[in-house]
Amino acid sequence: MTESNLITLNNYIEGKFQNSKCNHWIDNYSPATGDLIARIPCSSTEDIDDAVTAATNAFNGWSSLSIEERADWLIRIADGLESRKEEIAQLESLDTGKPISLARGVDAARSIANFRFFANHILDHEQQIFEMSDATNRVLYKPVGIAGLITPWNLPLYLLSWKVAPALLMGNTVVAKPSELTPLTANLLAEVMDEIGVPPGVFNIVHGNGIDAGAPLTSHPKVNLISFTGGTATGREVAKAASSGFKKLSLELGGKNATIIRHDADIISKMPEIVRASFMNQGQVCLCGSRILIHETIYDEFVESFVNTVTNMSVGDPSDEATDLGALISAAHRDKILSYIQIAKEEGGVILCGGGMPLNHPTQFKDGFWIAPTVIDGLKPDSICAMEEIFGPVVTLHPFSNDDEAVEIANMTDYGLAGSIWTADSDAGSELAERIDSGMVWVNCWLHRDLRVPFGGVKNSGVGREGGDWSIGFFSEAVNICVKHN
Ligand code: NAP
């Protein structure tokens, strides 16, 4: 990329695109090629202060709109994004290295759907009235105030819009800090807000890294609510920073999800979905099943079919519609994943496929960040690679002899985000699901999302729930008004 077509982004504060006060920049690279594609402001406390001031100044006007008026704004934002849907997909694929088919079908589509969903969902939200013999209680959902939103790089606009939409709907004003690794579509969202005339200060974006921009946002005394999605270690820091000011806090953190294949699973017809659950977005989805637990009676048959399907996936050019898997987000992340594969070998694991650079990889991607989908057999269920979140295209395989043992292994990690169960007996699968310590369990499907249901993790996978009424509750303060009858 030459200097002339290098994308330069600015912060979006008080309705203006403006550079960071400190005039430092962060380089942003294409994961597929390793090329420099953009530079973003390396913002710091002063920029966060400006954005929080803008959000504070805008709060009275925005929060005094009726909820129908704010829902109408959400629809206009969705329309604005819809008109740039292909651009969202292209930017997301460029910025993350993910296949364009995924960026179109999941990232772009869901980002728009998030705004439409919350705009419509609020219309179904019935007024809550609790009658007493001598009084009437009425629940009012008031805005919390200034919402600080912090998001990761794996599903950039998808996860940002999942927070922005309910935050604005409920009357809060927003300061968002997207991941420094994937700033492009957050900027596009700011452009859409600007184009359609969202009042200045209602929505602000501050680009930068976690320490310089994220930390001052989470500890800012005027920020009333923090919604954070990211790693568990960062979540711990965010929780510490938010606690002294008693901010409302939602933490959507890491996972180490189990995929349980029961003895009666239809492994032939379900194999494409099981592979998708393992490797979608190169395994960089918090919900991916990175540990596959297989009933011992079908272990060999499953492993042969699974490895066969995985090795036939097309890994390469993210802009090709036929590509299944793209690049990893950064060189550092690739190296971290490689170090886990090395640990697996030292722990006695057998690499059945993958383990390094994809074979016959095109030269145009030689400087990008790639690992072929990797399947590891022979590790104990409590080995490092089966217990720690790798967040990449790596799965470990483990046999079990009965449901009790499957549950024991599934619940062995410190995480508790998601899981899936594959079985011909849906009732048995549903009962087994109740015994898995995680926020979400799918039976005979994976990532089959209804946006009304609660989303979130238990144990080290998070605190709180978002989605549907849970988002409405989190992004507001429920206040009771009790009126004694005359
Ligand atoms: P991360 O390193 O924790 O970063 C997440 C965000 O926090 C980024 O914007 C990051 O900024 C910022 N940040 C870093 N340090 C901070 C601090 N001290 N204070 C405030 N903000 C700070 O996570 P990631 O590597 O981007 O994302 C991968 C992780 O996210 C995985 O663990 C995955 O499981 C998890 N995840 C969870 C869910 C869920 O719904 N549960 C969904 C998606 C991803 P910079 O990156 O710009 O420095």
Side-chain angles (χ1 to χ4, degrees), residues 7-22:
I7 303 166
T8 298
L9 301 186
N10 282 309
N11 291 332
Y12 183 67
I13 298 175
E14 206 163 22
K16 291 189 271 303
F17 289 93
Q18 50 187 274
N19 188 13
S20 152
K21 285 267 166 62
C22 60

Side-chain angles (χ1 to χ4, degrees), residues 257-261 266-280 283 288-294 298-313 325 350-354 372-377 392-398 420 422:
N257 313 302
T259 301
I260 299 177
I261 316 289
D266 178 357
I267 56 178
I268 295 177
S269 77
K270 298 296 184 190
M271 191 54 78
E273 278 191 79
I274 295 169
V275 169
R276 174 174 161 268
S278 310
F279 292 109
M280 185 171 129
C288 272
S290 51
R291 301 177 289 152
I292 307 189
L293 319 185
I294 308 145
I298 56 164
Y299 193 83
D300 293 342
E301 183 195 353
F302 177 89
V303 172
E304 188 185 345
S305 171
F306 183 73
V307 172
N308 214 7
T309 313
V310 171
T311 43
N312 280 322
M313 278 196 291
L325 294 188
V350 178
I351 312 294
L352 299 182
C353 63
T374 301
V375 181
I376 306 176
D377 195 9
V394 177
V395 300
T396 59
L397 308 176
H398 310 275
S420 67
W422 303 81

Side-chain angles (χ1 to χ4, degrees), residues 8 17 86 113 119 191 219 236 297 329 342 391 414 462:
T8 298
F17 289 93
E86 179 59 18
E191 287 176 355
S219 59
R236 212 166 260 127
T297 55
I329 190 65
Q342 182 56 33
F391 210 57
D414 292 334

Side-chain angles (χ1 to χ4, degrees), residues 69-368:
E69 286 171 312
R70 290 194 299 263
D72 197 47
W73 274 111
L74 260 54
I75 296 290
R76 282 192 247 171
I77 296 166
D79 290 345
L81 291 173
E82 187 100 51
S83 69
R84 298 177 69 177
K85 189 173 180 185
E86 179 59 18
E87 196 186 342
I88 295 172
Q90 295 289 346
L91 288 176
E92 216 68 294
S93 176
L94 173 71
D95 215 6
T96 61
K98 68 178 62 182
I100 188 69
S101 58
L102 186 68
R104 284 191 183 114
V106 174
D107 295 76
R110 215 354 241 290
S111 303
I112 300 161
N114 283 340
F115 284 98
R116 289 205 200 290
F117 166 74
F118 280 109
N120 293 321
H121 183 73
I122 200 68
L123 304 177
D124 298 333
H125 205 258
E126 284 178 13
Q127 171 72 67
Q128 289 165 305
I129 304 277
F130 300 94
E131 293 288 358
M132 301 167 77
S133 59
D134 58 350
T136 299
N137 294 279
R138 175 168 63 91
V139 181
L140 188 65
Y141 287 84
K142 292 173 103 171
V144 185
I146 314 304
L149 311 180
I150 300 183
T151 44
W153 45 261
N154 63 330
L155 294 159
L157 189 57
Y158 173 123
L159 290 173
L160 181 61
S161 54
W162 182 237
K163 299 181 189 301
V164 172
L168 294 184
L169 178 68
M170 298 316 290
N172 308 284
T173 53
V174 162
V175 178
K177 197 219 71 77
S179 168
E180 73 184 70
L181 298 171
T182 52
L184 300 184
T185 50
N187 183 66
L188 184 147
L189 178 61
E191 287 176 355
V192 165
M193 300 273 187
D194 201 58
E195 276 155 24
I196 65 172
V198 170
V202 167
F203 175 75
N204 306 275
I205 291 256
V206 180
H207 293 287
N209 64 45
I211 298 297
D212 296 316
L217 177 59
T218 54
S219 59
H220 199 292
K222 289 201 171 143
V223 171
N224 312 93
L225 167 157
I226 296 290
S227 173
F228 170 85
T229 300
T232 296
T234 317
R236 212 166 260 127
E237 295 306 310
V238 169
K240 274 189 225 155
S243 66
S244 67
F246 302 110
K247 299 179 197 308
K248 267 195 118 173
L249 181 64
S250 165
L251 300 171
E252 303 284 358
L253 308 177
K256 187 71 186 177
N257 313 302
T259 301
I260 299 177
I261 316 289
R262 290 185 85 234
H263 63 94
D264 56 357
D266 178 357
I267 56 178
I268 295 177
S269 77
K270 298 296 184 190
M271 191 54 78
E273 278 191 79
I274 295 169
V275 169
R276 174 174 161 268
S278 310
F279 292 109
M280 185 171 129
N281 202 29
Q282 299 73 251
Q284 301 169 128
V285 176
C286 55
L287 308 166
C288 272
S290 51
R291 301 177 289 152
I292 307 189
L293 319 185
I294 308 145
H295 194 269
E296 60 191 8
T297 55
I298 56 164
Y299 193 83
D300 293 342
E301 183 195 353
F302 177 89
V303 172
E304 188 185 345
S305 171
F306 183 73
V307 172
N308 214 7
T309 313
V310 171
T311 43
N312 280 322
M313 278 196 291
S314 137
V315 185
D317 188 353
S319 68
D320 185 338
E321 184 68 32
T323 293
D324 295 314
L325 294 188
L328 301 163
I329 190 65
S330 65
H333 191 55
R334 174 203 55 200
D335 294 346
K336 180 186 133 187
I337 296 166
L338 288 173
S339 74
Y340 272 110
I341 294 173
Q342 182 56 33
I343 290 171
K345 290 178 188 162
E346 288 161 14
E347 287 189 313
V350 178
I351 312 294
L352 299 182
C353 63
M357 195 79 161
L359 297 174
N360 308 316
H361 204 46
T363 50
Q364 75 196 95
F365 301 125
K366 69 177 184 355
D367 295 327

Side-chain angles (χ1 to χ4, degrees), residues 27-38 94-96 181 329 369:
D27 289 337
N28 178 34
Y29 295 92
S30 152
T33 61
D35 292 341
L36 181 64
I37 52 172
L94 173 71
D95 215 6
T96 61
L181 298 171
I329 190 65
F369 320 129

Side-chain angles (χ1 to χ4, degrees), residues 352-428:
L352 299 182
C353 63
M357 195 79 161
L359 297 174
N360 308 316
H361 204 46
T363 50
Q364 75 196 95
F365 301 125
K366 69 177 184 355
D367 295 327
F369 320 129
W370 297 82
I371 297 178
T374 301
V375 181
I376 306 176
D377 195 9
L379 286 176
K380 292 195 179 125
D382 61 353
S383 63
I384 290 172
C385 291
M387 296 286 277
E388 294 185 9
E389 186 186 45
I390 299 177
F391 210 57
V394 177
V395 300
T396 59
L397 308 176
H398 310 275
F400 66 86
S401 55
N402 54 49
D403 282 353
D404 289 345
E405 195 186 4
V407 170
E408 189 189 332
I409 299 173
N411 292 342
M412 209 175 249
T413 76
D414 292 334
Y415 293 103
L417 188 57
S420 67
I421 296 169
W422 303 81
T423 173
D425 185 342
S426 305
D427 291 340

